[in-house]
């Protein structure tokens, strides 16, 4: 039992130490909001692109390509989204909050939390499976989030512009480039590959520090019930159903199961706040969903990892 406890601590504590460093940077006012915004843009456009390229290019494609995992991950997200689109309008009368609640529950911060969880448990050399899943899950997240927010504000859903935007995403470009060169057997010169690898190694720490420094706590009195519902759905209900199904019905184990933990048990995606702002959603509710689920996931993700490790699932 103690060994399982140590595994759970080792998976979660490093991430939240980095976020705490970011919070300390914010407290000391060493970076302005504008500087944080520029750094965040750089990490997204450069660091994540390099990380996706390097992790896929340097992997054994035969071992990292898991079609069953990809189908379960994508199918799980689609089913959760469909159920939310049916049930959320029945309990929430405000259209500005409907899309925000749907997005908060179905869309996780898999990019920032997935790689570190897998790396902390299995080692950095094993993150290729999680990286491959990012290339599948992130486009689905983007398309479904736009669909939900546009639907509830009465807008028109245009798939083609969204797909073009997805293909311009630096993470997707990095993944496509890495997979293409790997499949074609093109050898990247070591003097070029080495700095890409160094940037890749720095991506997660820098991104988590910036995340910690970017948190802003808003007022909750106007949407407390909606916030509690989103937190419960994102951190308790969705992981309980999907992870139990993955483990006991579909038999996922090891690194595949931990990748699913990162998809279905991690907090709300940070980008959901910006999307709610831009698309007429309740931005205050969206921002609080990000802050509170990120803070509370320190405890809930620890519990999920400890539980399933004790059950011998990985």
């Amino acid at each position: 039992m103690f060994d399982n406890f140590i595994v759970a601590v080792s998976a979660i504590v490093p991430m939240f130490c980095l976020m705490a460093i970011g919070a300390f940077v914010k407290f000391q006012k060493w970076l302005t909001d504008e500087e944080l915004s520029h750094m965040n843009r750089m990490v997204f456009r450069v660091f994540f692109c390099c990380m996706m390229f390097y992790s896929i290019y340097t992997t054994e494609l035969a071992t990292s390509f898991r079609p069953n995992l990809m189908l379960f991950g994508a199918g799980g997200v689609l089913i959760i989204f469909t159920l939310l689109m049916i049930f959320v309008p029945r309990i929430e009368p405000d259209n500005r909050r409907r899309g925000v609640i749907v997005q908060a529950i179905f869309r996780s911060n898999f990019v920032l939390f997935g790689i570190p969880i897998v790396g902390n448990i299995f080692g950095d050399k094993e993150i290729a499976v999680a990286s491959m899943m990012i290339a599948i899950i992130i486009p689905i997240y983007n398309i479904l989030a736009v669909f939900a927010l546009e639907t509830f504000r009465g807008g028109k859903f245009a798939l083609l512009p969204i797909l073009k935007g997805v293909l311009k995403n630096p993470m997707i470009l990095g993944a496509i480039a890495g997979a293409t060169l790997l499949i074609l057997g093109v050898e990247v010169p070591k003097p070029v590959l080495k700095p890409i690898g160094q940037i890749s190694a720095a991506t997660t720490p820098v991104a988590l520090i910036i995340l910690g420094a970017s948190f802003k706590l808003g007022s909750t009195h106007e949407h407390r019930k909606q916030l509690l519902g989103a937190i419960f759905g994102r951190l308790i209900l969705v992981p309980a159903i999907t992870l139990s199904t993955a483990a006991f019905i579909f038999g996922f184990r090891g690194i595949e199961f931990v990748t699913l933990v990162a998809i279905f048990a991690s907090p709300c995606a940070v980008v959901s706040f910006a999307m709610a702002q831009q698309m007429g959603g309740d931005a205050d509710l969206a921002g609080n969903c990000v802050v509170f689920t990120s803070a509370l996931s320190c405890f809930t993700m620890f519990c999920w990892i400890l539980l399933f490790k004790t059950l011998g699932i990985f």
Side-chain angles (χ1 to χ4, degrees):
M1 181 65 181
F2 181 72
D3 289 343
N4 297 335
F5 179 82
I6 294 300
V7 170
V9 168
S10 300
I12 298 300
V13 170
M15 295 191 302
F16 287 92
C17 285
L18 290 166
M19 290 169 64
I21 292 170
F24 181 72
V25 168
K26 182 181 181 70
F27 176 76
Q28 293 292 333
K29 298 180 180 178
W30 288 339
L31 289 171
T32 65
D33 288 343
E34 187 178 356
E35 288 168 337
L36 278 171
S37 177
H38 288 315
M39 288 185 68
N40 204 24
R41 194 175 297 117
M42 177 189 69
V43 169
F44 177 68
R45 293 182 178 175
V46 179
F47 281 52
F48 276 120
C49 182
C50 290
M51 181 190 73
M52 290 295 291
F53 175 87
Y54 187 81
S55 59
I56 290 176
Y57 178 76
T58 57
T59 190
E60 293 282 344
L61 193 60
T63 59
S64 61
F65 183 70
R66 313 284 177 97
N68 290 340
L69 177 65
M70 292 174 178
L71 284 172
F72 183 89
V77 170
L78 288 168
I79 291 169
I80 292 165
F81 176 80
T82 303
L83 292 173
L84 289 169
M85 291 294 285
I86 294 170
F87 289 112
V88 168
R90 296 185 178 184
I91 58 175
E92 175 53 54
D94 187 346
N95 268 340
R96 292 184 69 247
R97 291 175 176 171
R98 285 173 172 174
V100 169
I101 294 170
V102 169
Q103 185 178 209
I105 296 175
F106 94 85
R107 187 178 193 176
S108 72
N109 204 350
F110 176 43
V111 174
L112 277 186
F113 285 77
I115 299 296
I117 286 175
V118 173
N120 290 341
I121 294 177
F122 295 100
D124 290 338
K125 291 182 179 179
E126 302 295 331
I127 64 173
V129 174
S131 299
M132 200 73 76
M133 285 300 292
I134 288 175
I136 303 297
I137 296 296
I138 296 306
I140 295 174
Y141 277 166
N142 289 343
I143 293 168
L144 296 183
V146 173
F147 179 78
L149 292 167
E150 284 288 7
T151 297
F152 291 121
R153 78 168 180 175
K156 228 180 176 182
F157 177 73
L159 182 60
L160 194 58
I162 298 169
L163 290 175
K164 287 180 180 177
V166 167
L167 290 174
K168 291 178 183 177
N169 185 309
M171 287 183 292
I172 303 303
L173 290 174
I176 292 171
T180 302
L181 295 185
L182 178 63
I183 292 167
L184 295 177
V186 177
E187 188 171 345
V188 178
K190 287 185 178 179
V192 175
L193 192 61
K194 184 176 180 180
I196 294 175
Q198 290 170 330
I199 294 172
S200 173
T203 301
T204 295
V206 174
L208 287 171
I209 289 170
I210 292 173
L211 176 62
S214 301
F215 282 154
K216 291 180 181 177
L217 193 62
S219 172
T220 64
H221 70 278
E222 291 183 358
H223 51 242
R224 194 162 295 160
K225 283 196 298 185
Q226 291 86 350
L227 177 61
L228 289 172
I231 292 170
F232 176 76
R234 178 66 252 159
L235 299 181
I236 306 295
L237 187 61
V238 166
I241 295 171
T242 54
L243 297 180
S244 298
T245 303
F248 304 120
I249 296 178
F250 287 88
F252 285 104
R253 295 291 185 271
I255 192 169
E256 291 186 345
F257 182 80
V258 174
T259 301
L260 293 173
V261 172
I263 295 172
F264 293 110
S266 54
C268 299
V270 176
V271 72
S272 61
F273 168 67
M275 287 192 67
Q277 268 186 326
Q278 294 166 16
M279 300 182 67
D282 188 331
D284 288 339
L285 173 59
N288 279 327
C289 286
V290 173
V291 172
F292 280 93
T293 57
S294 296
L296 293 172
S297 66
C298 177
F299 174 72
T300 58
M301 290 182 75
F302 170 83
C303 290
W304 289 121
I305 290 170
L306 179 61
L307 171 64
F308 286 106
K309 177 64 177 173
T310 302
L311 293 174
I313 304 300
F314 65 92

